[in-house]
Amino acid sequence: MKKLFCMALLAVLSATALLAQTTNKPYRISGQIKGLRDTSVVLAHWYRSGTQYIPKDTAKINAQGQFVFEGDKALPQGLYLVLTPKQRYMEFILDDQQTFSFATDTTNFIRSMKVTGSRENEKFYEYQQALATLYEEVQAIEVQKKLRNDAVSAALFQKQQNELAQKANQIRLDFVQNNKGLFATKLLEASAEPNVPAPPKAANGRPDSLWTFNYYKAHYWDGFDLADDRFLLTPVYQRKLERYMKELTVQQTDSITKEADFLIRKTKPGSDMHLYTIYWITSQYERPTVLGTDGVFIHMAEKYYLSGVMPMSDSTALANVREKVNTLKPLLIGKPFPTLSVSDTLRRPINFASLKSDYLIVFFYDPECGHCRTAAPLLKKYTDANKGKGIDVLAVPVSNSPESWKKFINEFKLQNWIHGYDFTFRTDFRHRYDVFTTPQVYVLDKSRTIIGRGIPAEQAGDFLDFYKRQLATKAAPATVNKQAKPAAKGK
């Protein structure tokens, strides 16, 4: 229960306040913190998450605890912090930048806060103070619970905590209802979890958990104004965005790109939220951690960067994006692997189409690469253990040294692999096969379609075993059905 109230406090994003004076400066924030003197405080705003912030100004505190932040350029609106020594801080919503100030005390920033000149922050702190009162009651119950450790008391304390939780929820509902239009209200609504009703029964008679998940996801963004750039200067958007894309979305290219486009459409074209959403999703899948999601980067690059939706003033950077798309697009999972023109150790061309194994692991490497020298024996161990099971390795060095190539084969006793070399030195391995680092591994099926890429060489065997198990699982129901039909006809 204590955790519940902590989360409630975080959902409101803690506290902020300001009182002001008329000034010619674009922003002027005056404050007083009793208990501090002859030191400095920092004005900052949150940067995407709740762990990073960007300093915007510094002010000296006099002997009476008074200070002023002021500057010649208006600040972007959002959730700001005043950081005091020892990293203690208070928060406020920056709206009117000239007509407010605040006063508080180091004994309790929230309890002691008095705000004038900013209705946003007056209401924001009224809410925080109301929650703080309930939180103190929860703490008192926790103390009594520890002192009286018996079942009867535990039940009573739980009842009291439940009642306080209901009060906290009612305070929140009342605040939202009575303060429409405030950004503080928007913060509360954006931070709230969807209220999921009781699910219908599934076919097995139990509550339908899939229905619950779908409802939760469908209402995940209720109350969140994705057209409001101020959310970028809070921890709320980054947290929700990351969870939605990484936890609530199936990590497959089609699913991810669908949700990416959905979110981007809900932002205002050209706004900071619009551009940041495009940037963040693209950056997450430029070097994806989930196998088979390379297509997300291709989609984002083509639809938003190369189309001009996402402005890029640097022509070199734009050219690099275009080059990367041209390299990766033919190498996506599900695409036929581009044929290699290589020869064996006797300089005889290797007929790629004649390699009849069920699976082919293409191992690009550099004989002098330390990781390659570690990975090759591990991959050999797997292929030796699975000899005769339709798995071949085509090993291709990307260095221009036939001597090093042959030495590598002999040193690690890799004669059972298929070895190819480009004696013409014409193949651009970097751009044709995305070999910017070595080793680079591709796993191909019998039709030489790419089923895996970018897999650590030492894990290629694990991936292939998993892939074959998945195929067997998918095929199993079809086999059962085929056997069941003749039996039914024979009745």
Side-chain angles (χ1 to χ4, degrees):
M1 194 64 190
K2 178 179 178 181
K3 183 177 179 182
L4 183 151
F5 278 88
C6 289
M7 291 175 66
L9 291 174
L10 287 174
V12 213
L13 307 174
S14 217
T16 66
L18 321 172
L19 256 166
Q21 306 169 10
T22 303
T23 175
N24 292 325
K25 294 286 187 180
Y27 79 86
R28 187 178 192 280
I29 302 166
S30 61
Q32 181 179 27
I33 305 176
K34 296 178 182 178
L36 289 183
R37 55 181 296 167
D38 301 326
T39 185
S40 298
V41 287
V42 175
L43 176 68
H45 65 66
W46 290 114
Y47 181 71
R48 314 311 186 215
S49 72
T51 59
Q52 296 177 299
Y53 57 82
I54 295 180
K56 303 300 290 186
D57 201 354
T58 303
K60 291 286 187 182
I61 296 181
N62 65 19
Q64 287 74 46
Q66 300 168 332
F67 59 91
V68 175
F69 295 114
E70 60 183 359
D72 296 325
K73 185 179 180 181
L75 298 171
Q77 295 185 13
L79 189 64
Y80 278 68
L81 308 87
V82 174
L83 294 108
T84 67
K86 298 182 180 180
Q87 293 300 300
R88 292 188 65 195
Y89 67 87
M90 64 204 74
E91 295 174 295
F92 62 85
I93 296 168
L94 186 61
D95 53 349
D96 192 326
Q97 303 185 24
Q98 295 182 323
T99 61
F100 66 87
S101 64
F102 68 87
T104 189
D105 193 302
T106 54
T107 56
N108 191 315
F109 286 154
I110 294 176
R111 276 292 197 186
S112 306
M113 183 65 69
K114 290 183 172 55
V115 176
T116 56
S118 169
R119 183 169 179 268
E120 275 278 7
N121 290 287
E122 288 174 17
K123 294 298 180 181
F124 195 30
Y125 268 96
E126 281 181 17
Y127 181 81
Q128 297 300 318
Q129 289 163 352
L131 278 188
T133 299
L134 293 183
Y135 180 59
E136 288 170 4
E137 292 184 46
V138 170
Q139 287 182 307
I141 291 173
E142 289 290 337
V143 171
Q144 290 298 315
K145 189 175 180 180
K146 290 178 181 178
L147 293 174
R148 298 172 59 186
N149 189 19
D150 60 83
V152 175
S153 298
L156 175 62
F157 293 145
Q158 186 61 55
K159 180 175 180 294
Q160 292 173 333
Q161 288 177 329
N162 291 341
E163 290 172 352
L164 290 175
Q166 292 174 4
K167 285 183 181 179
N169 186 54
Q170 191 59 50
I171 289 172
R172 177 187 172 280
L173 293 174
D174 291 344
F175 182 89
V176 170
Q177 180 64 36
N178 298 330
N179 295 283
K180 298 293 185 183
L182 295 184
F183 187 59
T185 302
K186 280 191 167 187
L187 283 173
L188 275 176
E189 292 180 309
S191 302
E193 290 283 289
N195 185 18
V196 182
K201 293 287 196 304
N204 60 10
R206 297 176 181 175
D208 190 338
S209 58
L210 181 59
W211 183 92
T212 299
F213 173 83
N214 289 334
Y215 185 96
Y216 180 91
K217 183 178 178 181
H219 293 271
Y220 185 75
W221 294 102
D222 287 1
F224 198 117
D225 184 1
L226 283 157
D228 193 333
D229 285 346
R230 290 176 293 181
F231 278 110
L232 285 179
L233 273 62
T234 77
V236 180
Y237 184 51
Q238 178 67 43
R239 182 173 66 243
K240 287 186 73 87
L241 174 62
E242 189 159 352
R243 184 169 185 222
Y244 188 77
M245 295 303 301
K246 296 292 184 71
E247 297 178 28
L248 301 183
T249 298
V250 177
Q251 293 303 287
Q252 296 175 350
T253 294
D254 290 347
S255 299
I256 297 167
T257 54
K258 176 186 174 183
E259 299 300 346
D261 292 342
F262 161 74
L263 283 180
I264 292 165
R265 283 195 303 270
K266 291 177 75 70
T267 63
K268 184 179 178 181
S271 67
D272 289 345
M273 287 282 281
H274 181 76
L275 301 181
Y276 179 72
T277 304
I278 294 172
Y279 158 77
W280 185 85
I281 296 173
T282 306
S283 67
Q284 294 301 299
Y285 294 95
E286 183 175 5
R287 286 290 177 188
T289 57
V290 178
L291 185 68
T293 56
D294 310 63
V296 178
F297 172 78
I298 303 297
H299 171 85
M300 298 297 293
E302 289 185 328
K303 185 165 184 175
Y304 299 106
Y305 284 82
L306 300 184
S307 67
V309 171
M310 185 72 168
M312 296 185 71
S313 56
D314 187 342
S315 59
T316 301
L318 186 61
N320 289 338
V321 171
R322 182 174 286 107
E323 180 182 322
K324 186 163 186 175
V325 168
N326 292 337
T327 296
L328 293 180
K329 200 168 183 179
L331 300 172
L332 296 177
I333 289 177
K335 298 273 189 177
F337 185 72
T339 303
L340 272 164
S341 296
V342 291
S343 301
D344 63 19
T345 54
L346 299 177
R347 291 180 175 259
R348 297 173 301 191
I350 294 175
N351 184 354
F352 198 76
S354 69
L355 304 177
K356 301 300 185 181
S357 56
D358 293 333
Y359 297 98
L360 183 65
I361 299 172
V362 183
F363 178 66
F364 291 105
Y365 69 100
D366 183 333
E368 304 301 325
C369 155
H371 190 182
C372 302
R373 297 177 65 81
T374 301
L378 296 174
L379 183 55
K380 177 183 184 298
K381 184 178 180 181
Y382 172 79
T383 54
D384 286 350
N386 289 271
K387 188 176 180 180
K389 295 183 179 180
I391 302 169
D392 279 335
V393 175
L394 173 59
V396 180
V398 297
S399 62
N400 296 334
S401 173
E403 294 76 20
S404 297
W405 168 49
K406 293 176 182 179
K407 181 181 177 182
F408 187 89
I409 296 171
N410 292 323
E411 180 181 353
F412 294 105
K413 299 179 174 58
L414 303 175
Q415 285 79 8
N416 288 335
W417 290 3
I418 303 166
H419 296 279
Y421 193 85
D422 177 24
F423 288 98
T424 67
F425 307 124
R426 292 177 181 173
T427 304
D428 183 354
F429 292 104
R430 287 169 63 88
H431 294 96
R432 184 163 173 77
Y433 299 102
D434 192 35
V435 187
F436 284 83
T437 60
T438 53
Q440 173 68 287
V441 170
Y442 289 83
V443 182
L444 317 179
D445 65 10
K446 192 165 188 173
S447 67
R448 299 309 175 240
T449 296
I450 301 170
I451 59 174
R453 68 177 298 273
I455 304 164
E458 57 272 26
Q459 295 176 19
D462 292 337
F463 165 77
L464 193 47
D465 289 343
F466 173 78
Y467 180 82
K468 289 193 288 184
R469 286 197 300 271
Q470 291 292 98
L471 283 184
T473 301
K474 291 177 182 178
T479 303
V480 171
N481 289 339
K482 285 179 181 178
Q483 293 174 346
K485 286 180 180 178
K489 288 180 181 177
K491 269 191 172 184

